[in-house]
Amino acid sequence: MAKDVIIACDFSSAEATYAFLDKFTGRKPFVKIGMELFYAEGPEIVRQIKARGHRIFLDLKLHDIPNTVKKAMAVLSALDVDICNLHAAGTVPMMEAALEGLTRADGSRPLLIAVTQLTSTDQQHMEDDLLIREPIDQVVLHYAQNARKAGLDGVVCSPLEAGKVHAACGEGFLTVTPGVRFADGDAGDQKRVTTPARARELGSDYIVVGRPITAAADPVAAYERCVREFVG
Ligand code: C5P
């Protein structure tokens, strides 16, 4: 699996997104479209960015009954994105249904990855709010194994968990990892951060990088630096 940098396009409008993407005159970065942009602009934003030649990770984190997720995934499949995702907490039957919905008549489909536990969830909240008593790293691994069992292609996790996930689920099982910062950068609200170079050492397949690129004085230079450090 080729390593790559995915830019989190966390903008609230199509105009702001295009203004950002227009800065990239050479290569076409892999981009992540999340809930904010998708809910603001609808599926057309996906078609437009695809038409500009970018690969797309559509980060909508589906979680509902299997039948609903299956039908929603069939709609997303028609958008021709490269990666989409759901919550592993929806259980194995939900993930299997999602995969079915995503698969087109010709057998092709976007990659499907699962969110294990959100990085905003800590041990305390998991125990108090969700009544899950196991250590959080075991929960993450168990959810990753469930995703593998359901036939998914990988998980969203911290670069710090990438090695364990690969050991449990195989080297080909994708780890897509946010929480990346330059050594001389600001961590912002991310708690456990690693540099692009460290994420590479830890075995991440894709790093998802937002503000270190989108809020940089020179976003193209920041992206190129990220690619140099992560891909080599
Ligand atoms: O700006 P920053 O680099 O922190 O952006 C990281 C991106 O990855 C954001 O779009 C955020 O929503 C997403 N993400 C995350 N942690 C997760 C899952 C997704 O930071 N566990």
Side-chain angles (χ1 to χ4, degrees):
M1 177 55 58
K3 289 183 182 290
D4 208 349
V5 174
I6 301 177
I7 304 178
C9 285
D10 292 325
F11 301 107
S12 56
S13 71
E15 293 70 36
T17 309
Y18 299 149
F20 172 75
L21 293 177
D22 283 344
K23 297 181 200 292
F24 294 82
T25 49
R27 65 165 97 198
K28 298 281 185 184
F30 203 138
V31 302
K32 178 171 89 73
I33 299 175
M35 291 186 207
E36 182 185 7
L37 186 56
F38 190 82
Y39 291 153
E41 298 291 347
E44 192 53 24
I45 188 77
V46 176
R47 294 190 194 99
Q48 291 296 330
I49 294 178
K50 192 80 199 170
R52 284 171 168 243
H54 297 269
R55 282 171 297 155
I56 297 173
F57 168 20
L58 187 56
D59 179 20
L60 298 181
K61 300 187 179 72
L62 277 67
H63 187 174
D64 208 315
I65 60 172
N67 184 57
T68 301
V69 170
K70 178 178 168 179
K71 290 184 169 166
M73 283 294 181
V75 175
L76 297 185
S77 185
L79 286 177
D80 196 22
V81 298
D82 297 274
I83 306 179
C84 45
N85 66 353
L86 45 61
H87 273 284
T91 75
V92 171
M94 188 203 79
M95 291 192 270
E96 288 171 343
L99 210 54
E100 241 183 274
L102 203 58
T103 305
R104 306 182 186 106
D106 65 1
S108 68
R109 62 168 177 82
L111 294 172
L112 181 60
I113 61 176
V115 176
T116 54
Q117 282 291 349
L118 291 169
T119 44
S120 53
T121 304
D122 61 13
Q123 184 74 34
Q124 195 69 46
H125 281 104
M126 207 179 61
E127 290 184 14
D128 295 350
D129 300 354
L130 308 179
L131 293 182
I132 299 172
R133 309 271 182 225
E134 307 298 321
I136 195 160
D137 54 341
Q138 279 182 32
V139 175
V140 167
L141 270 188
H142 183 64
Y143 282 19
Q145 285 168 316
N146 282 351
R148 172 117 183 97
K149 195 157 91 186
L152 269 63
D153 303 292
V155 288
V156 183
C157 64
S158 157
L160 302 163
E161 294 154 357
K164 278 188 199 159
V165 168
H166 280 141
C169 301
E171 285 304 314
F173 193 67
L174 296 177
T175 52
V176 178
T177 66
V180 174
R181 293 292 180 268
F182 292 121
D184 50 1
D186 179 7
D189 56 354
Q190 293 283 11
K191 299 277 183 269
R192 299 192 305 148
V193 298
T194 50
T195 62
R198 183 76 185 123
R200 174 198 169 101
E201 285 166 17
L202 291 167
S204 295
D205 295 295
Y206 291 95
I207 51 173
V208 176
V209 187
R211 288 158 293 177
I213 295 173
T214 56
D218 183 344
V220 178
Y223 170 73
E224 298 292 353
R225 177 181 172 189
C226 230
V227 171
R228 254 190 333 271
E229 286 190 21
F230 182 63
V231 183

